[in-house]
Amino acid sequence: MSTDLNDQALRYHRFPTPGKIAVVPTKALATQHDLALAYSPGVAAACEAIVQDPLEAATVTARSNLVAVISNGTAVLGLGPIGPLAAKPVMEGKGVLFKKFAGVDVFDIELDERDPAKLIDMVAAMEPTFGGINLEDIKAPECFVIEQTLRSRMKIPVFHDDQHGTAIVVAAAVLNALRLCNKSLDNVKLVCSGAGAAALACLNLLVSLGLPRANIWITDIEGVVYVGREKLMDEYKSVFAQDTEARKLADIITGADVFLGLSAPGVLTQAMVREMGPHPLIFALANPTPEILPELAREVRPDAIIATGRSDYPNQVNNVLVFPYIFRGALDVGATAINEEMKLACVRALADMAMQAPDEAVMAAYGGQSLRFGPDYLIPKPFDSRLILELPVAVAKAAMESGVATRPISDWDAYSEQLERFVYRSGLIMKPVFERAKLALQRIVYCEGEDDRVLRAVHTVVQEKLGQPILLGRRERIQQKLDALELRLRMDEDFQVVDFRDHPYFDDCWREYHHLLSRHGMTIDNARQRVRTRPTVLGALLVRLGHADTLICGVTARYRRQLDHLTEVYGILPGQPAPAAMSLLLLQHGSLFLVDTHVNRNPSAAHLAAITRMAAEEVRRFGLTPKVALLSHSNFGSDDSDTARKMAHVRELLEAEAPELEVEGEMQADMALSDTLRLRLFPDSKLTGTANLLVMPTLDAANIAYNLLKMAGDAIAVGPMLLGLRYPGQVLTTAATVRRIVNMSAVAAVDAQVNAAVVEAND
């Protein structure tokens, strides 16, 4: 490891807090009542529930989501027998990966015990604490005995990741590589260098998938594993012994279809690679230096498909592709073991996933690399969000089908939604909006129809049946983008295209546009030119003329400019001096709606009252009861500044105009979010609990609060949501992600439904 990387790694581990893991409470402990519930006397109720039914431990404790990562430090990473204390950074790292990728909590446990029997007793005694055991960095062959014995003694999953995690990823990559080579697993020759825990687990899993044992040849530090060999042999290795006179790797490599290396640097030479069969698969997984460097292998065999354990080469075999998700699925059904059926299900799901195009977030994480199924892309990347969406489902179903699930899943749609929250924190709060959008599909115009993010979002909108997309753009360019992104969308079936160069609405649109603005200096030629060259203008006119129901714009253009286009075509609702914008922030401990974050610089009290009423109605569409806090630097008249008086006046207007609304102010932000603080200062407050709709006195205040909370609070943003125009539509910002476009499509669709209902009622 370079000096620079070494220094960075040490600093990373030392600052700002030593190590990588902390224990964080999941319940409040702010009052005496909280203490009574969490400990004495309230905790007795939870204890008694478990006494009556041990399965209740999964509902009243964290056990069902808690895994022990256990090592005795006898075979650490690529560092060898460095001992349990020096192994602790690795085990903490494992815990971070469990939490990051699958939301699984971990206690890392380093045991100073090399005697397998004693180690087994220690681990088995911990069963009441954990929902699963992940054994890590324990040397072979002891690891086989330890895992097998613990699996027989314990009624929770016991999984040695060095064996089975590696095996699952290797098996998936081998299956996909054979697909590319048009070879069948049941008639290929595999040569393995290495006979440790990972190597033997890989071979056993490939045998379960259909690779004949007779086709497997192994070498280790003593050479070929052959019938009659005595040195460094054990029962696990012996099952692969061949009746042969060959004694070296070079003697058995000829004609091999697959080389699997889990051994040492440089053991596979270019001369050996030359002797392999056509389109050889070379899995050189020794770390950090593989059995042969990929560039050396390709010099003599350009037709080779190569995988390594390193992140700087394609096809990295990385256990993180498996262990968080196989535990996620096992824990969620209360599995008593991780069995062969669950591992095989994971293999097939992982292999199939690589056949599908990854999403925008994965492409961005990997710098725009070509992640298309082929020789350099056999398995998904570690940051592929689909792993958490697909692997736990496959594992959980296999656990149920094989009879090891104690808490079977009955509603798979609900389970999928639960998993989506690990990827899309907006999933829970957006659910009511999504469900309502599906009730009456609206025609949604996407003004930037050629943008990659828009196309990916449209793919989701079509899949989830959130609307009927209409894309503005050049037909041939949209098709080219769909092909490049590997999106399975059918033009004119899944979505419609309005090609702004030539479409049947052109004359109606420019005439309407000219009619709207003819007394504002708009000429016929200018109207025709703008309709032809400004997609937002065209999209807004399509909505106004009834050819569409709502629109999405702003993904590639300035917010204010797009809002101006909408305002001039749509017009403003009666009684509203101007449109406004509301943004939603999804924070770790709740959701906050903020107005006005993007439009009005210094609205009057009357305007703010009108904005608040519109915002409250939008909050209700999320299935929430609006609780409004009118924010200021002042608390309930403590200051007589202009903004404080303005916010106090807003409250007076709302009490008169919307008496049903739960609203309070003016107040400081901490008062809005803390019922305890607010009642201590102002016991007559009409606001109960925590406010969820924050109204700011100026654009500066709202936008600063929005961006500060978004970054410092690690928040997910939805919006901005446009309020106050006569026709429905949403202007996004250029920072919009695919998920935000999807979310705003649902918001736009629901707004269009409401608008249609209002129009029908007025008619």
Side-chain angles (χ1 to χ4, degrees):
M1 188 163 60
S2 69
T3 301
D4 182 56
L5 182 58
N6 188 71
D7 291 343
Q8 290 181 39
L10 289 175
R11 183 170 182 82
Y12 174 84
H13 282 81
R14 286 170 174 157
F15 302 103
T17 302
K20 299 187 287 281
I21 280 191
V23 176
V24 179
T26 60
K27 301 294 192 298
L29 196 62
T31 67
Q32 180 62 37
H33 183 62
D34 292 339
L35 182 60
L37 295 175
Y39 197 54
S40 180
V43 73
C47 297
E48 290 168 353
I50 297 172
V51 170
Q52 294 173 12
D53 181 2
L55 292 179
E56 283 296 324
T59 69
V60 298
T61 77
R63 182 176 185 260
S64 64
N65 195 51
L66 185 60
V67 167
V69 172
I70 299 177
S71 179
N72 65 356
T74 53
V76 178
L77 204 55
L79 303 174
I82 60 175
L85 184 60
K88 188 171 179 64
V90 179
M91 303 310 122
E92 283 190 355
K94 200 84 171 186
V96 170
L97 297 177
F98 265 110
K99 188 67 174 179
K100 166 68 178 177
F101 289 110
V104 175
D105 293 319
V106 162
F107 289 165
D108 66 286
I109 299 174
E110 295 74 32
L111 298 173
D112 190 8
E113 182 54 70
R114 287 174 173 256
D115 184 322
K118 292 181 180 179
L119 186 65
I120 288 167
D121 288 340
M122 289 178 177
V123 177
M126 299 181 199
E127 183 169 352
T129 303
F130 297 103
I133 303 291
N134 186 95
L135 299 174
E136 191 75 16
D137 293 348
I138 301 173
K139 74 182 182 74
E142 288 91 334
C143 61
F144 302 124
V145 176
I146 292 167
E147 185 193 37
Q148 287 178 1
T149 307
L150 287 173
R151 289 181 64 180
S152 67
R153 286 179 58 176
M154 303 178 79
K155 295 180 180 179
I156 57 175
V158 178
F159 186 81
H160 187 204
D161 184 47
D162 299 326
Q163 294 182 57
H164 308 300
T166 302
I168 290 168
V169 182
V170 166
V174 167
L175 289 182
N176 278 347
L178 292 176
R179 283 174 176 172
L180 290 171
C181 300
N182 293 317
K183 294 182 180 181
S184 174
L185 188 63
D186 60 7
N187 61 15
V188 297
K189 176 183 178 181
L190 184 147
V191 173
C192 180
S193 174
L200 293 176
C202 290
L203 298 177
N204 285 319
L205 192 58
L206 288 169
V207 168
S208 295
L209 287 164
L211 177 63
R213 287 185 186 273
N215 294 10
I216 298 172
W217 298 71
I218 300 180
T219 63
D220 61 11
I221 196 169
E222 287 296 319
V224 173
V225 174
Y226 60 89
V227 174
R229 197 183 103 176
E230 297 181 359
K231 192 172 183 180
L232 290 183
M233 292 296 288
D234 56 58
E235 60 182 296
Y236 309 102
K237 197 185 301 183
S238 296
V239 297
F240 295 102
Q242 293 276 9
D243 189 1
T244 179
E245 297 298 322
R247 294 296 183 262
K248 298 179 181 179
L249 178 59
D251 299 333
I252 60 173
I253 197 68
T254 301
D257 298 285
V258 183
F259 170 81
L260 175 60
L262 287 146
S263 53
V267 301
L268 186 66
T269 66
Q270 286 184 314
M272 295 178 191
V273 173
R274 284 193 188 95
E275 299 301 316
M276 293 182 70
H279 302 292
L281 279 53
I282 300 173
F283 285 61
L285 306 182
N287 239 337
T289 306
E291 285 80 0
I292 186 170
L293 291 171
E295 54 268 29
L296 295 179
R298 285 211 170 88
E299 280 183 8
V300 295
R301 293 301 299 268
D303 60 336
I305 296 176
I306 304 171
T308 71
R310 289 172 45 154
S311 60
D312 54 346
Y313 289 106
N315 299 324
Q316 182 194 18
V317 173
N318 191 332
N319 292 10
V320 78
L321 291 172
V322 171
F323 69 80
Y325 314 108
I326 200 165
F327 269 99
R328 180 74 277 155
L331 292 171
D332 289 340
V333 293
T336 57
I338 293 175
N339 57 25
E340 199 73 4
E341 292 85 350
M342 295 159 74
K343 290 188 287 183
L344 292 174
C346 198
V347 170
R348 296 186 178 102
L350 190 62
D352 290 344
M353 195 183 307
M355 307 282 287
Q356 306 159 16
D359 62 21
E360 174 223 17
V362 181
M363 299 293 286
Y366 291 94
Q369 294 178 31
S370 177
L371 303 182
R372 180 178 296 184
F373 179 65
D376 288 337
Y377 183 68
L378 299 175
I379 45 179
K381 296 286 190 178
F383 283 93
D384 194 326
S385 58
R386 296 171 302 167
L387 292 164
I388 185 63
L389 302 178
E390 299 190 25
L391 296 195
V393 173
V395 170
K397 287 182 176 179
M400 290 169 55
E401 291 166 2
S402 60
V404 297
T406 62
R407 298 191 304 275
I409 293 170
S410 57
D411 188 341
W412 290 103
D413 289 337
Y415 183 54
S416 293
E417 289 178 3
Q418 178 182 324
L419 295 175
E420 282 183 2
R421 293 170 200 164
F422 291 109
V423 182
Y424 308 118
R425 279 163 46 194
S426 58
L428 182 61
I429 197 166
M430 289 300 302
K431 184 176 179 180
V433 181
F434 276 38
E435 293 303 315
R436 185 166 177 181
K438 295 175 183 179
L439 294 177
L441 298 187
Q442 302 296 296
R443 298 164 297 170
I444 307 172
V445 174
Y446 293 87
C447 297
E448 294 101 336
E450 298 177 8
D451 184 81
D452 288 3
R453 289 169 294 166
V454 169
L455 290 171
R456 291 184 185 276
V458 166
H459 184 255
T460 301
V461 168
V462 170
Q463 283 189 318
E464 299 196 17
K465 296 180 173 61
L466 298 176
Q468 299 174 336
I470 301 171
L471 273 58
L472 303 189
R474 297 163 291 180
R475 292 180 66 88
E476 68 277 8
R477 183 58 176 156
I478 290 173
Q479 189 59 58
Q480 289 170 1
K481 287 291 191 78
L482 292 175
D483 293 341
L485 297 171
E486 297 184 0
L487 297 175
R488 296 181 178 89
L489 287 172
R490 299 162 297 177
M491 194 179 296
D492 301 325
E493 293 184 43
D494 295 321
F495 65 92
Q496 304 301 312
V497 174
V498 174
D499 192 322
F500 44 74
R501 299 169 302 181
D502 181 24
H503 59 87
Y505 312 113
F506 178 70
D507 287 340
D508 287 346
C509 286
W510 75 255
R511 289 191 177 99
E512 180 71 9
Y513 192 53
H514 177 256
H515 172 73
L516 291 170
L517 300 177
S518 60
R519 294 185 181 276
H520 297 273
M522 181 63 65
T523 67
I524 290 177
D525 286 343
N526 283 343
R528 293 169 64 91
Q529 178 68 11
R530 288 195 181 186
V531 170
R532 186 174 284 115
T533 60
R534 299 188 181 181
T536 299
V537 171
L538 172 58
L541 289 164
L542 291 174
V543 174
R544 183 181 177 97
L545 292 171
H547 302 304
D549 301 307
T550 186
L551 67 77
I552 298 289
C553 67
V555 176
T556 62
R558 289 176 51 199
Y559 183 91
R560 183 70 63 169
R561 176 75 59 84
Q562 305 314 300
L563 178 57
D564 289 345
H565 289 328
L566 283 194
T567 303
E568 65 184 14
V569 174
Y570 280 4
I572 301 168
L573 283 172
Q576 294 293 335
M582 177 176 75
S583 295
L584 167 60
L585 290 177
L586 307 175
L587 298 147
Q588 295 290 346
H589 301 293
S591 304
L592 291 176
F593 295 85
L594 288 77
V595 291
D596 173 5
T597 53
H598 285 77
V599 180
N600 296 286
R601 290 183 174 86
N602 189 14
S604 66
H607 190 189
L608 267 181
I611 291 172
T612 302
R613 293 198 306 274
M614 290 190 297
E617 186 59 37
E618 194 74 26
V619 170
R620 291 188 183 99
R621 292 174 195 171
F622 286 82
L624 300 174
T625 299
K627 293 177 175 290
V628 185
L630 307 173
L631 299 190
S632 170
H633 68 284
S634 168
N635 270 323
F636 311 109
S638 65
D639 193 274
D640 196 35
S641 67
D642 290 342
T643 54
R645 287 198 303 271
K646 178 169 73 172
M647 300 312 286
H649 189 201
V650 172
R651 178 185 56 79
E652 295 169 356
L653 291 172
L654 289 172
E655 286 180 345
E657 299 167 0
E660 77 287 353
L661 198 59
E662 189 174 335
V663 58
E664 189 57 89
E666 84 283 12
M667 70 178 80
Q668 294 174 0
D670 55 350
M671 294 286 170
L673 302 180
S674 172
D675 197 34
T676 302
L677 288 176
R678 186 168 61 253
L679 293 177
R680 185 184 304 157
L681 181 68
F682 194 72
D684 295 330
S685 173
K686 296 179 180 178
L687 178 63
T688 59
T690 299
N692 57 18
L693 175 54
L694 307 182
V695 181
M696 313 285 180
T698 65
L699 176 62
D700 276 349
N703 194 265
I704 289 169
Y706 165 73
N707 283 298
L708 189 62
L709 283 170
K710 182 173 67 173
M711 298 305 294
D714 188 27
I716 300 297
V718 178
M721 291 168 256
L722 197 56
L723 311 170
L725 294 179
R726 285 180 177 270
Y727 296 87
Q730 296 295 338
V731 182
L732 278 62
T733 65
T734 55
T737 61
V738 171
R739 194 64 193 182
R740 194 182 302 182
I741 297 171
V742 172
N743 287 338
M744 291 307 297
S745 297
V747 171
V750 172
D751 286 346
Q753 291 175 2
V754 173
N755 184 74
V758 171
V759 170
E760 184 178 350
N762 290 339
D763 291 344

